[in-house]
Amino acid sequence: MTFAGKDILTTVGMKKNELIEVLGISAKMEGIVRNERVSTLLQDKVVAVLFLEPSTRTRLSFETAVKRLGAKAITVSDAKTSSGAKGETLADMAKTVEGYVDCIVVRQPTVGGAQIIADAVDIPVINGGDGAGQHPTQALLDLYTMQKERGNLEGLKVAMVGDLKFGRTVHSLTYALSPFNPKEYMFCAPDALQIQESIVNDMRAKGISCVKTASIEKALQADVLYMTRIQKERFEDLAEYEKLKGSYVLTREILFKGNKDITIMHPLPRVDEISSDVDDLPNAAYFRQAHNGVYVRMALLALVMGRA
Ligand code: CP
């Protein structure tokens, strides 16, 4: 597939060769940044960064990626400051913005909202998170991080811990890693926050061993531990959130019971699920993971605008 002109909305159905292409170009982008060179690859392009839900990493790493590639960004960083607050639809907003820019990056709270935008416009749309749906660019930077940290993406045993029901990063990562023959997916969550059965069924249909557990001790036997935050903002009943918050707290002490070689990842932000005493362990990869977002998002911008 050529990515030129295409949308990046989901990792469902992404092919191994496409994923490898993104990872290879991300590595080239890292080379550009590390050599302190600012590319002129997209110097004639303007990108709309429309964030109608809070974000630190995704929005700022996209904006950094735009600048590193010599392009310009126009940004909405607060839904209250766009005309969505006056009742404008996503489709009308998108059709308007299409006249200003060459590519749209969007985060908004509705599952399928990025698809609505993509259907309304002819320029590439990149989903920066659609509610509890998908977060494909996070999954791609997660793959890039795993490859760097582990040396290889093939045959990994990956445990995902926390809010697997509402956690869009988990949904996207489960599909994105699936072509690399994972040895096992371990889904570790309280029953109320377990991953959707449809996703487990899709993985089993690909021949991937899937285990559901509530025990973080079991999850600590994996090669990669992917911690996630319990997503307070997705709960209709906050009393339910209060019951579930704090279900898992990773500490140095607990980690000593597990695989000594485990790679600890988290899409961030964290609340209380990883104790700060874990941060200076050499295998705590989550801040390196966040930094990798710039390189992967540079690659995606260059690819969809036909310059990579
Ligand atoms: N990982 C992630 O999506 O972080 P932000 O919500 O800060 O963008």
Side-chain angles (χ1 to χ4, degrees):
M1 155 180 171
T2 170
F3 283 90
K6 296 276 167 57
D7 306 311
I8 309 274
L9 303 180
T10 177
T11 57
V12 178
M14 276 194 176
K15 297 193 172 46
K16 190 170 186 174
N17 64 315
E18 296 165 352
L19 295 160
I20 289 170
E21 183 180 1
V22 171
L23 299 179
I25 294 169
S26 302
K28 286 186 189 159
M29 296 300 179
E30 181 168 0
I32 289 172
V33 174
R34 290 203 181 277
N35 291 324
E36 294 184 23
R37 283 187 289 127
V38 177
S39 168
T40 55
L41 200 60
L42 298 182
Q43 66 179 350
D44 56 334
K45 301 293 186 188
V46 181
V47 177
V49 180
L50 307 179
F51 273 56
L52 311 178
E53 265 198 332
S55 169
T56 298
R57 280 145 290 275
T58 311
R59 183 172 68 80
L60 294 180
S61 63
F62 261 115
E63 289 187 8
T64 304
V66 166
K67 289 180 199 303
R68 294 278 188 201
L69 290 167
K72 305 277 185 300
I74 58 169
T75 297
V76 172
S77 58
D78 180 347
K80 292 197 289 292
T81 67
S82 82
S83 286
K86 303 177 205 163
E88 187 171 44
T89 65
L90 282 177
D92 281 2
M93 179 184 71
K95 283 183 202 164
T96 303
V97 172
E98 181 182 27
Y100 307 153
V101 301
D102 303 287
C103 174
I104 295 174
V105 181
V106 63
R107 169 174 290 187
Q108 53 71 55
T110 310
V111 176
Q115 182 71 62
I116 289 170
I117 289 177
D119 290 343
V121 301
D122 291 326
I123 58 174
V125 174
I126 300 178
N127 179 9
D130 62 334
Q134 280 268 328
H135 195 347
T137 70
Q138 176 71 45
L140 294 167
L141 78 88
D142 292 341
L143 293 194
Y144 187 69
T145 303
M146 281 184 205
Q147 188 174 56
K148 284 179 70 175
E149 299 287 328
R150 305 292 311 179
N152 193 343
L153 284 178
E154 292 287 337
L156 291 173
K157 190 171 174 178
V158 177
M160 303 185 212
V161 180
D163 186 347
L164 312 185
K165 177 182 177 187
F166 296 118
R168 57 194 174 198
T169 66
V170 166
H171 305 160
S172 289
L173 177 60
T174 303
Y175 284 94
L177 187 63
S178 65
F180 296 92
N181 309 303
K183 190 170 175 191
E184 185 168 272
Y185 281 148
M186 204 181 300
F187 298 113
C188 177
D191 281 348
L193 296 177
Q194 257 299 356
I195 196 158
Q196 287 79 352
E197 204 54 35
S198 60
I199 298 179
V200 176
N201 290 340
D202 282 354
M203 294 306 118
R204 288 191 172 136
K206 292 170 188 278
I208 300 168
S209 165
C210 294
V211 175
K212 287 185 181 175
T213 180
S215 160
I216 194 167
E217 280 78 13
K218 281 192 188 153
L220 293 176
Q221 306 309 319
D223 300 313
V224 175
L225 184 69
Y226 192 90
M227 297 294 296
T228 64
R229 174 178 66 91
I230 296 189
Q231 311 255 307
K232 181 178 181 181
E233 66 274 28
R234 308 282 176 226
F235 282 77
E236 284 175 10
D237 177 2
L238 274 185
E240 186 67 10
Y241 167 76
E242 291 296 329
K243 274 192 243 161
L244 293 166
K245 75 175 187 189
S247 293
Y248 302 107
V249 180
L250 188 69
T251 61
R252 251 181 200 253
E253 196 185 339
I254 293 174
L255 271 167
F256 287 129
K257 297 180 193 163
N259 171 13
K260 300 286 173 285
D261 182 40
I262 200 164
T263 299
I264 306 157
M265 295 176 62
H266 190 311
L268 303 177
R270 72 174 150 187
V271 181
D272 57 4
E273 58 279 0
I274 302 182
S275 163
S276 59
D277 69 0
V278 175
D279 294 358
D280 56 2
L281 291 176
N283 51 338
Y286 31 93
F287 289 110
R288 293 192 289 278
Q289 180 183 355
H291 297 164
N292 288 334
V294 171
Y295 318 133
V296 173
R297 288 169 175 137
M298 286 171 77
L300 292 171
L301 289 168
L303 279 162
V304 299
M305 284 188 268
R307 297 281 171 84

